[in-house]
Amino acid sequence: MQKAIKILVLTILSLFIVMPLSAGGQKEAKEEGPVKLSFWHLWGGSRTPLIKKLINDFKADHPNVEFEVTFTPPNELQKKVVQAAGTGTLPDVFGMHTGWYVNLLPGSTLLELDSYLSKDSINLKKILVAADAERSYYEGHVYSLPNVCAGAQGLFFYNKGLMRKAGLDPDKDAPKNWDDFVKISKILVEKLNTPGKLDVIAWDPNQMAGQPALIVFSYGAGYPTVSDNGKTSQLDTPGVLATAEKFDQYIKDIYGSYGGYRGILEWNSRVAGADTGAAQVKAFIKEKQVFYVSGSWTIGQVKSGNPDLDLGIIPVPGFKGQQGGIAKNGWSYAISKNSKHKDMAWEFLKFITIDPAGNGEFCKAQRRPSPIAAVNDDPVYAAMGDMWTNLVAAMNMDIVPVAPDINQDILKPWLRDIPARRIAGESIDAIMKDISKQYQGYLNDIYQ
Amino acid sequence: MEWERNILYGIGIRRSPLKKGKIWTVFLFLLPWLVSLVVLWYGPIIYTVVLSFMKYRLIGGGRFIGFKNYINIFQDRFFWLGLRNTFSFIVLYIPANFIIGLFTAYMLNLNIRLKGLWRSIIYVPAVLPVIAILALGKFIFYPYGLVNTFIEMIGLKGPLWLANPNLIIPTSVILMVWQCGTAMIVYLGALQAVPSQYYEAADIDGLGKSQQFFQITLPLISPAVFFRMIIDLIFGLMIFIPSLILPAGNVPGGPGNASLFYALYLYEKAFQRFNIGEASTLATILIIISFVITWAVIKMSKRYVYYEV
C-alpha cells in the first residue's frame, strides 16, 4: 500500500511540474513557426464567403501568415470582447463597435494606431467619409479603423411595387415629412388589406432592424435621447416623449381598425414568423410591409432575398422634413495591445478597413457604402440608380449627434416591449419614463 | 477512533475498516476530488463574496467599498422585482412539477399496456435542451400558435400568452413542467419501493384508493418528494432561460419586466453592464437565500418526511 501511495504522490507531483513546462514549450514552438494571427469578426450568413475572400486575398500577398478565425454574432461580441480585454486574451485583430470604447478602456487594452498611421503617412480625414474618420478617435487617439460606413444608418426603405398597387406614385408620393408619411400609410393599409384582416402593414415604429426609430426621429427633431457626455438618459424629456406619443398615435390611426397594438403583434406572429428586427426585413422581403427604417447594410439582404422587389430608398421623413442617417459610432476593427505580431496585425487591419482592394471590395459586394470615400464613386454603385443617389443624399444630410451612441443592444428590447405594455394598459408616458429610469441605471453601471 | 469509523462507514467501507492511521490513505485518494471541490467550487464562492465588497470592473481592476454595493442593491427596485418574479415562478413551478410528475408516475406504475413506451414518451422532453423546449413552446404560444388556434376553434379569442405580463410566468411554468420526466422517474422509483403488503393490509381494512394514497403512498414516498422539492427549489432560484427566450418581441425579462428573474438581472449586471461588484453582491445574496431556504425546508422536513418503513 505504501508503494502505491508513493506512486500516486509522485504522479500528481510530476503532473504539476510537467504541465507548466509543456505549456511553455508550446509557446516557444508557436513563435518559431509562421505568423499566426487570431481574428474575430461578426460577419456571418451571406457575408461569410466575403470574409473568407478577404483573408485569402491577404494571404496571397502574405503567404507566411496563417489565421485563426472566429465568428461571433454581433449581439454576443461585446460581452466576448470586454471579457477578453479584462483577461488580456484579446485576439490580434478583432471586430468592435466604437460605441464600446467606454467599456474597453482603450489606453490599456487596444493598440494605439497613431504612430502606425504616421509611419505609413495615412491621413484618415483625407481618405475616409467624415463621420467614419471622426469615430476612429477616442480621447484624441486612433484605436480602431472603420469596417463599414456608419454614415447611413437611418434610411427609409420602401417597396415601390406595393406603392403602385395601392394607386400611389412611388416617386412623387414618397413621403417627405411625417405628416405625408401618416397620410400615405393610411392609404396603403386601406388599399392593401381587406377589412378586419391585416395582411400588409405600412410600418411598425417599434420594430427595428438597425437604429431604433425612436432615436432616429428624436435626433432628427432636435431631441437627443442621451446627454452630451453620454451619462444621462434623456428618454423622458418632453421632446423624446412627444416622439413616442406620435408613434403611439400612428399605431392608433393606422391600425386602430385592425386591433391596434394587438393587431400588429398578431401580424408579426402570422407574417414575420419571429418578432425581432430581422423579422421586419423578412416581412419586407415577403412584400408584407411597405416601409422600414434601417441602415444601408440591408440593401444586399433585400436584393438577395427578393431580386424582383422594386426597392426605393429615401431620407427619413422626419417631423421637421427630410433627415439623414445618424452617424456617430459603428463597426470597426482594432488590434490588441498584447498582440505578438503587431506589425503583421497592422498590415491586416489596413487591408480590412482602409484598403480599397480589401474593405472596398467587401462593401461593394454588398452594395453598401464604404467608409473609404473614393470607393463610393465606383460604377457598381452608380448602377443602383436613384436608390444610390437617394442614399448618398441621405448620407450627406447627416445629423451627427454629439453624444456617444446610445447602446442599442440595451435599449432596443425595452422599446420592442412597448406594444405588450400598451396592451397591458400602461400609458406611453409611463412606459417611456420607466424605460428612461432603466436606461439611467444601465448608464450608472457603465460609467460607475 | 469513532470519527474515523463514522467517515469510513459513511463512504461505504463497512465490513473491513482500515486500521487506525490508514484514514490518510483514503484522504489521499480523495485528494483530487477535494482539490477540485475547493478550487472550482468554494474558491469561486469565496472570491464572489470578496468581490461583492468591491467596486470592480472587468477592465481596470477594483477597490474595496465596504457595504456600498449591498446598499445600492437593496435600494434597486429591479432587485426586488427579480426576487418577486422568481418566487412567483417557484410558487407555481414546484407544486405543478410535483403534481404532474407524481400523477404520471402513478399512472405508469399501474398495470397498463405499452408501459415502457409511455415512460419513454414522457421522459423524452427531459433529455431535450431547455432552449429547444422553449423555442418550440414559443411557437405553440404565439398569438397564432397551436394553443390559440385550438381556442379559436371553439369560438374564443386566445390570450397573448407571451405579451401579457400576467401570463408570461404561468406560460414559463407550463413549458418547464413539460420536462417533468425527471421528477416522474424519481417518483416512479419511490412508488415501486413501497411494499405491496401495505396495500394488501389496507384493502383488508377497507381503505379506499384515495385513503391508501394519502395515508400510505404519500408518507412512504415523502423522502423522494422532499428530494425533488429541494432540487426544484434550487432550479427555481436559478431560473433564467425562459425570460430570455419566451417574451414577445424577444424582450429579455419582458413583457413589462414581468419575467425579469433574479438570475437574469444578475447576468445583465455582470455581462451587459460589466458591473462585477454589484453582480457579485446579487450572487452572494442568492447564495444566502438558497442556503436559508434549503435549511428551513430541511428543518421542516423532519415533521413531514418519513425515512423509516
Side-chain angles (χ1 to χ4, degrees), chain B residues 148-170:
Chain B
N148 278 7
T149 305
F150 279 120
I151 293 174
E152 270 186 24
M153 281 164 72
I154 55 168
L156 299 171
K157 197 159 178 69
L160 295 171
W161 300 94
L162 309 175
N164 186 329
N166 298 319
L167 291 178
I168 189 73
I169 288 183

PDB file of all heavy atoms in Angstrom, chain B residues 148-170:
ATOM      1  N   ASN B 148     -53.615  28.902 -29.364  1.00  0.00           N
ATOM      2  CA  ASN B 148     -54.665  29.858 -29.729  1.00  0.00           C
ATOM      3  C   ASN B 148     -55.492  29.371 -30.916  1.00  0.00           C
ATOM      4  O   ASN B 148     -56.674  29.715 -31.034  1.00  0.00           O
ATOM      5  CB  ASN B 148     -54.062  31.233 -30.010  1.00  0.00           C
ATOM      6  CG  ASN B 148     -53.816  32.002 -28.724  1.00  0.00           C
ATOM      7  OD1 ASN B 148     -53.977  31.456 -27.628  1.00  0.00           O
ATOM      8  ND2 ASN B 148     -53.425  33.253 -28.834  1.00  0.00           N
ATOM      9  N   THR B 149     -54.885  28.570 -31.773  1.00  0.00           N
ATOM     10  CA  THR B 149     -55.650  28.002 -32.890  1.00  0.00           C
ATOM     11  C   THR B 149     -56.745  27.092 -32.332  1.00  0.00           C
ATOM     12  O   THR B 149     -57.901  27.138 -32.778  1.00  0.00           O
ATOM     13  CB  THR B 149     -54.717  27.219 -33.841  1.00  0.00           C
ATOM     14  OG1 THR B 149     -53.671  28.091 -34.234  1.00  0.00           O
ATOM     15  CG2 THR B 149     -55.461  26.739 -35.074  1.00  0.00           C
ATOM     16  N   PHE B 150     -56.390  26.275 -31.336  1.00  0.00           N
ATOM     17  CA  PHE B 150     -57.395  25.401 -30.707  1.00  0.00           C
ATOM     18  C   PHE B 150     -58.484  26.233 -30.010  1.00  0.00           C
ATOM     19  O   PHE B 150     -59.661  25.919 -30.098  1.00  0.00           O
ATOM     20  CB  PHE B 150     -56.736  24.452 -29.701  1.00  0.00           C
ATOM     21  CG  PHE B 150     -56.115  23.253 -30.362  1.00  0.00           C
ATOM     22  CD1 PHE B 150     -54.763  22.993 -30.247  1.00  0.00           C
ATOM     23  CD2 PHE B 150     -56.891  22.372 -31.116  1.00  0.00           C
ATOM     24  CE1 PHE B 150     -54.186  21.894 -30.864  1.00  0.00           C
ATOM     25  CE2 PHE B 150     -56.327  21.267 -31.743  1.00  0.00           C
ATOM     26  CZ  PHE B 150     -54.965  21.028 -31.617  1.00  0.00           C
ATOM     27  N   ILE B 151     -58.035  27.284 -29.337  1.00  0.00           N
ATOM     28  CA  ILE B 151     -59.006  28.129 -28.625  1.00  0.00           C
ATOM     29  C   ILE B 151     -59.959  28.781 -29.634  1.00  0.00           C
ATOM     30  O   ILE B 151     -61.167  28.853 -29.399  1.00  0.00           O
ATOM     31  CB  ILE B 151     -58.274  29.194 -27.761  1.00  0.00           C
ATOM     32  CG1 ILE B 151     -57.519  28.492 -26.623  1.00  0.00           C
ATOM     33  CG2 ILE B 151     -59.251  30.223 -27.195  1.00  0.00           C
ATOM     34  CD1 ILE B 151     -56.646  29.396 -25.769  1.00  0.00           C
ATOM     35  N   GLU B 152     -59.409  29.195 -30.761  1.00  0.00           N
ATOM     36  CA  GLU B 152     -60.261  29.811 -31.796  1.00  0.00           C
ATOM     37  C   GLU B 152     -61.246  28.811 -32.371  1.00  0.00           C
ATOM     38  O   GLU B 152     -62.354  29.166 -32.774  1.00  0.00           O
ATOM     39  CB  GLU B 152     -59.392  30.400 -32.910  1.00  0.00           C
ATOM     40  CG  GLU B 152     -59.016  31.839 -32.618  1.00  0.00           C
ATOM     41  CD  GLU B 152     -58.280  32.515 -33.749  1.00  0.00           C
ATOM     42  OE1 GLU B 152     -58.430  32.083 -34.912  1.00  0.00           O
ATOM     43  OE2 GLU B 152     -57.553  33.473 -33.464  1.00  0.00           O
ATOM     44  N   MET B 153     -60.843  27.541 -32.417  1.00  0.00           N
ATOM     45  CA  MET B 153     -61.739  26.505 -32.972  1.00  0.00           C
ATOM     46  C   MET B 153     -63.010  26.364 -32.142  1.00  0.00           C
ATOM     47  O   MET B 153     -64.044  25.916 -32.635  1.00  0.00           O
ATOM     48  CB  MET B 153     -61.001  25.159 -33.069  1.00  0.00           C
ATOM     49  CG  MET B 153     -60.082  25.087 -34.284  1.00  0.00           C
ATOM     50  SD  MET B 153     -58.881  23.760 -34.190  1.00  0.00           S
ATOM     51  CE  MET B 153     -59.911  22.344 -34.428  1.00  0.00           C
ATOM     52  N   ILE B 154     -62.915  26.732 -30.859  1.00  0.00           N
ATOM     53  CA  ILE B 154     -64.140  26.670 -30.046  1.00  0.00           C
ATOM     54  C   ILE B 154     -64.797  28.058 -29.934  1.00  0.00           C
ATOM     55  O   ILE B 154     -65.625  28.303 -29.067  1.00  0.00           O
ATOM     56  CB  ILE B 154     -63.879  26.065 -28.637  1.00  0.00           C
ATOM     57  CG1 ILE B 154     -62.767  26.823 -27.898  1.00  0.00           C
ATOM     58  CG2 ILE B 154     -63.558  24.594 -28.729  1.00  0.00           C
ATOM     59  CD1 ILE B 154     -62.656  26.467 -26.432  1.00  0.00           C
ATOM     60  N   GLY B 155     -64.371  28.936 -30.818  1.00  0.00           N
ATOM     61  CA  GLY B 155     -65.044  30.229 -30.947  1.00  0.00           C
ATOM     62  C   GLY B 155     -64.583  31.314 -30.003  1.00  0.00           C
ATOM     63  O   GLY B 155     -65.226  32.356 -29.890  1.00  0.00           O
ATOM     64  N   LEU B 156     -63.459  31.101 -29.328  1.00  0.00           N
ATOM     65  CA  LEU B 156     -62.953  32.135 -28.402  1.00  0.00           C
ATOM     66  C   LEU B 156     -61.683  32.762 -28.961  1.00  0.00           C
ATOM     67  O   LEU B 156     -61.046  32.202 -29.855  1.00  0.00           O
ATOM     68  CB  LEU B 156     -62.658  31.507 -27.033  1.00  0.00           C
ATOM     69  CG  LEU B 156     -63.843  30.882 -26.300  1.00  0.00           C
ATOM     70  CD1 LEU B 156     -63.353  30.111 -25.087  1.00  0.00           C
ATOM     71  CD2 LEU B 156     -64.823  31.973 -25.864  1.00  0.00           C
ATOM     72  N   LYS B 157     -61.339  33.912 -28.424  1.00  0.00           N
ATOM     73  CA  LYS B 157     -60.087  34.554 -28.840  1.00  0.00           C
ATOM     74  C   LYS B 157     -59.024  34.247 -27.792  1.00  0.00           C
ATOM     75  O   LYS B 157     -59.204  34.541 -26.602  1.00  0.00           O
ATOM     76  CB  LYS B 157     -60.299  36.061 -28.969  1.00  0.00           C
ATOM     77  CG  LYS B 157     -59.207  36.738 -29.774  1.00  0.00           C
ATOM     78  CD  LYS B 157     -59.665  38.081 -30.310  1.00  0.00           C
ATOM     79  CE  LYS B 157     -58.579  38.799 -31.074  1.00  0.00           C
ATOM     80  NZ  LYS B 157     -58.212  38.189 -32.336  1.00  0.00           N
ATOM     81  N   GLY B 158     -57.952  33.645 -28.234  1.00  0.00           N
ATOM     82  CA  GLY B 158     -56.900  33.247 -27.296  1.00  0.00           C
ATOM     83  C   GLY B 158     -56.157  34.444 -26.737  1.00  0.00           C
ATOM     84  O   GLY B 158     -56.060  35.486 -27.388  1.00  0.00           O
ATOM     85  N   PRO B 159     -55.627  34.325 -25.550  1.00  0.00           N
ATOM     86  CA  PRO B 159     -54.863  35.448 -24.969  1.00  0.00           C
ATOM     87  C   PRO B 159     -53.480  35.580 -25.597  1.00  0.00           C
ATOM     88  O   PRO B 159     -53.023  34.680 -26.300  1.00  0.00           O
ATOM     89  CB  PRO B 159     -54.751  35.058 -23.498  1.00  0.00           C
ATOM     90  CG  PRO B 159     -54.813  33.581 -23.486  1.00  0.00           C
ATOM     91  CD  PRO B 159     -55.659  33.158 -24.659  1.00  0.00           C
ATOM     92  N   LEU B 160     -52.839  36.693 -25.302  1.00  0.00           N
ATOM     93  CA  LEU B 160     -51.454  36.876 -25.768  1.00  0.00           C
ATOM     94  C   LEU B 160     -50.540  36.317 -24.673  1.00  0.00           C
ATOM     95  O   LEU B 160     -50.113  37.025 -23.778  1.00  0.00           O
ATOM     96  CB  LEU B 160     -51.171  38.363 -26.010  1.00  0.00           C
ATOM     97  CG  LEU B 160     -51.966  39.023 -27.129  1.00  0.00           C
ATOM     98  CD1 LEU B 160     -51.763  40.528 -27.130  1.00  0.00           C
ATOM     99  CD2 LEU B 160     -51.595  38.441 -28.481  1.00  0.00           C
ATOM    100  N   TRP B 161     -50.282  35.038 -24.764  1.00  0.00           N
ATOM    101  CA  TRP B 161     -49.544  34.342 -23.704  1.00  0.00           C
ATOM    102  C   TRP B 161     -48.188  34.969 -23.435  1.00  0.00           C
ATOM    103  O   TRP B 161     -47.750  35.050 -22.295  1.00  0.00           O
ATOM    104  CB  TRP B 161     -49.323  32.877 -24.105  1.00  0.00           C
ATOM    105  CG  TRP B 161     -50.588  32.118 -24.331  1.00  0.00           C
ATOM    106  CD1 TRP B 161     -51.222  31.939 -25.526  1.00  0.00           C
ATOM    107  CD2 TRP B 161     -51.384  31.449 -23.354  1.00  0.00           C
ATOM    108  NE1 TRP B 161     -52.360  31.196 -25.347  1.00  0.00           N
ATOM    109  CE2 TRP B 161     -52.481  30.866 -24.026  1.00  0.00           C
ATOM    110  CE3 TRP B 161     -51.270  31.274 -21.978  1.00  0.00           C
ATOM    111  CZ2 TRP B 161     -53.461  30.145 -23.365  1.00  0.00           C
ATOM    112  CZ3 TRP B 161     -52.239  30.541 -21.320  1.00  0.00           C
ATOM    113  CH2 TRP B 161     -53.319  29.983 -22.012  1.00  0.00           C
ATOM    114  N   LEU B 162     -47.521  35.382 -24.499  1.00  0.00           N
ATOM    115  CA  LEU B 162     -46.136  35.839 -24.347  1.00  0.00           C
ATOM    116  C   LEU B 162     -46.023  37.361 -24.264  1.00  0.00           C
ATOM    117  O   LEU B 162     -44.942  37.899 -24.088  1.00  0.00           O
ATOM    118  CB  LEU B 162     -45.285  35.328 -25.517  1.00  0.00           C
ATOM    119  CG  LEU B 162     -45.402  33.832 -25.791  1.00  0.00           C
ATOM    120  CD1 LEU B 162     -44.626  33.444 -27.031  1.00  0.00           C
ATOM    121  CD2 LEU B 162     -44.919  33.019 -24.588  1.00  0.00           C
ATOM    122  N   ALA B 163     -47.154  38.047 -24.428  1.00  0.00           N
ATOM    123  CA  ALA B 163     -47.119  39.512 -24.382  1.00  0.00           C
ATOM    124  C   ALA B 163     -47.928  40.053 -23.215  1.00  0.00           C
ATOM    125  O   ALA B 163     -48.045  41.258 -23.053  1.00  0.00           O
ATOM    126  CB  ALA B 163     -47.656  40.084 -25.699  1.00  0.00           C
ATOM    127  N   ASN B 164     -48.493  39.156 -22.429  1.00  0.00           N
ATOM    128  CA  ASN B 164     -49.300  39.592 -21.295  1.00  0.00           C
ATOM    129  C   ASN B 164     -48.496  39.425 -19.997  1.00  0.00           C
ATOM    130  O   ASN B 164     -48.101  38.307 -19.651  1.00  0.00           O
ATOM    131  CB  ASN B 164     -50.580  38.748 -21.236  1.00  0.00           C
ATOM    132  CG  ASN B 164     -51.539  39.231 -20.168  1.00  0.00           C
ATOM    133  OD1 ASN B 164     -51.116  39.755 -19.141  1.00  0.00           O
ATOM    134  ND2 ASN B 164     -52.820  39.059 -20.414  1.00  0.00           N
ATOM    135  N   PRO B 165     -48.254  40.531 -19.275  1.00  0.00           N
ATOM    136  CA  PRO B 165     -47.439  40.432 -18.055  1.00  0.00           C
ATOM    137  C   PRO B 165     -48.001  39.433 -17.035  1.00  0.00           C
ATOM    138  O   PRO B 165     -47.244  38.855 -16.259  1.00  0.00           O
ATOM    139  CB  PRO B 165     -47.476  41.855 -17.484  1.00  0.00           C
ATOM    140  CG  PRO B 165     -47.816  42.727 -18.628  1.00  0.00           C
ATOM    141  CD  PRO B 165     -48.675  41.918 -19.554  1.00  0.00           C
ATOM    142  N   ASN B 166     -49.320  39.203 -17.063  1.00  0.00           N
ATOM    143  CA  ASN B 166     -49.898  38.269 -16.094  1.00  0.00           C
ATOM    144  C   ASN B 166     -49.779  36.811 -16.521  1.00  0.00           C
ATOM    145  O   ASN B 166     -50.014  35.906 -15.719  1.00  0.00           O
ATOM    146  CB  ASN B 166     -51.381  38.588 -15.872  1.00  0.00           C
ATOM    147  CG  ASN B 166     -51.557  39.966 -15.287  1.00  0.00           C
ATOM    148  OD1 ASN B 166     -50.804  40.366 -14.408  1.00  0.00           O
ATOM    149  ND2 ASN B 166     -52.513  40.715 -15.806  1.00  0.00           N
ATOM    150  N   LEU B 167     -49.458  36.592 -17.792  1.00  0.00           N
ATOM    151  CA  LEU B 167     -49.437  35.206 -18.281  1.00  0.00           C
ATOM    152  C   LEU B 167     -48.035  34.672 -18.554  1.00  0.00           C
ATOM    153  O   LEU B 167     -47.860  33.470 -18.736  1.00  0.00           O
ATOM    154  CB  LEU B 167     -50.258  35.098 -19.577  1.00  0.00           C
ATOM    155  CG  LEU B 167     -51.763  35.277 -19.429  1.00  0.00           C
ATOM    156  CD1 LEU B 167     -52.449  35.197 -20.783  1.00  0.00           C
ATOM    157  CD2 LEU B 167     -52.336  34.202 -18.506  1.00  0.00           C
ATOM    158  N   ILE B 168     -47.056  35.546 -18.592  1.00  0.00           N
ATOM    159  CA  ILE B 168     -45.732  35.087 -19.017  1.00  0.00           C
ATOM    160  C   ILE B 168     -45.127  34.070 -18.020  1.00  0.00           C
ATOM    161  O   ILE B 168     -44.531  33.072 -18.441  1.00  0.00           O
ATOM    162  CB  ILE B 168     -44.768  36.280 -19.285  1.00  0.00           C
ATOM    163  CG1 ILE B 168     -43.478  35.804 -19.943  1.00  0.00           C
ATOM    164  CG2 ILE B 168     -44.467  37.088 -18.040  1.00  0.00           C
ATOM    165  CD1 ILE B 168     -43.604  35.410 -21.376  1.00  0.00           C
ATOM    166  N   ILE B 169     -45.333  34.289 -16.719  1.00  0.00           N
ATOM    167  CA  ILE B 169     -44.756  33.332 -15.760  1.00  0.00           C
ATOM    168  C   ILE B 169     -45.528  32.005 -15.788  1.00  0.00           C
ATOM    169  O   ILE B 169     -44.905  30.946 -15.883  1.00  0.00           O
ATOM    170  CB  ILE B 169     -44.655  33.941 -14.343  1.00  0.00           C
ATOM    171  CG1 ILE B 169     -43.531  34.989 -14.345  1.00  0.00           C
ATOM    172  CG2 ILE B 169     -44.375  32.869 -13.282  1.00  0.00           C
ATOM    173  CD1 ILE B 169     -43.249  35.644 -13.030  1.00  0.00           C
ATOM    174  N   PRO B 170     -46.879  32.033 -15.773  1.00  0.00           N
ATOM    175  CA  PRO B 170     -47.579  30.748 -15.906  1.00  0.00           C
ATOM    176  C   PRO B 170     -47.201  29.995 -17.195  1.00  0.00           C
ATOM    177  O   PRO B 170     -47.038  28.769 -17.166  1.00  0.00           O
ATOM    178  CB  PRO B 170     -49.062  31.150 -15.934  1.00  0.00           C
ATOM    179  CG  PRO B 170     -49.115  32.439 -15.189  1.00  0.00           C
ATOM    180  CD  PRO B 170     -47.820  33.123 -15.474  1.00  0.00           C
TER     181      PRO B 170
END
